[in-house]
């Protein structure tokens, strides 16, 4: 489990082990676009401002993953205790 701070929405959400960031955002009333929800299509791409991403998708390439500047919120998670997203 980890926390996600949504910089533009001025909200911090707790993401439990069994839920995705995308699900957690929806549970909290946010409207977020998605399609495949399997880390393949790119629809849920979100900017990362702070924190290290545990990439679980097959959409971003190696370089993009290493840049730690974006995340697919339908499958990927935080490596640490907190992420700050540009949403
Ligand atoms: Fe398709 Fe996240 S919804 S990659």
């Amino acid at each position: 489990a980890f926390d996600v701070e949504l910089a533009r929405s001025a909200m911090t959400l707790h993401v439990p082990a069994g839920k995705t960031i995308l699900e957690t955002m929806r549970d909290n009333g946010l409207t977020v676009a998605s399609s495949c929800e399997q880390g393949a299509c790119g629809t849920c791409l979100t900017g990362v401002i702070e924190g290290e991403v545990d990439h679980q998708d097959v959409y971003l390439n190696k370089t993009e993953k290493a840049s730690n500047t974006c995340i697919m919120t339908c499958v990927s998670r935080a490596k640490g205790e907190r992420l700050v997203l540009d949403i």
Side-chain angles (χ1 to χ4, degrees), residues 7-56:
R8 282 191 275 133
S9 311
M11 280 175 118
T12 300
L13 309 178
H14 184 70
V15 184
K19 286 220 170 176
T20 65
I21 298 173
L22 184 74
E23 286 168 341
T24 306
M25 291 193 289
R26 287 196 174 139
D27 287 353
N28 284 274
L30 283 136
T31 305
V32 275
S34 73
S35 179
C36 72
E37 301 199 2
Q38 291 180 16
C41 74
T43 307
C44 66
L45 182 80
T46 301
V48 174
I49 297 169
E50 225 181 283
E52 215 182 328
V53 181
D54 177 15
H55 293 286
Q56 303 280 340

Side-chain angles (χ1 to χ4, degrees), residues 4 13 18 22 24 29 56 59 62 70 75:
V4 170
L13 309 178
L22 184 74
T24 306
Q56 303 280 340
Y59 178 78
K62 262 186 158 179
C70 45
V75 289

Side-chain angles (χ1 to χ4, degrees), residues 46-55 60-71 77-80 82-85:
T46 301
V48 174
I49 297 169
E50 225 181 283
E52 215 182 328
V53 181
D54 177 15
H55 293 286
L60 297 171
N61 67 32
K62 262 186 158 179
T63 311
E64 290 166 327
K65 285 179 179 168
S67 78
N68 202 63
T69 55
C70 45
I71 183 171
R77 311 188 65 83
K79 270 191 185 158
R82 185 167 164 268
L83 283 178
V84 182
L85 302 184

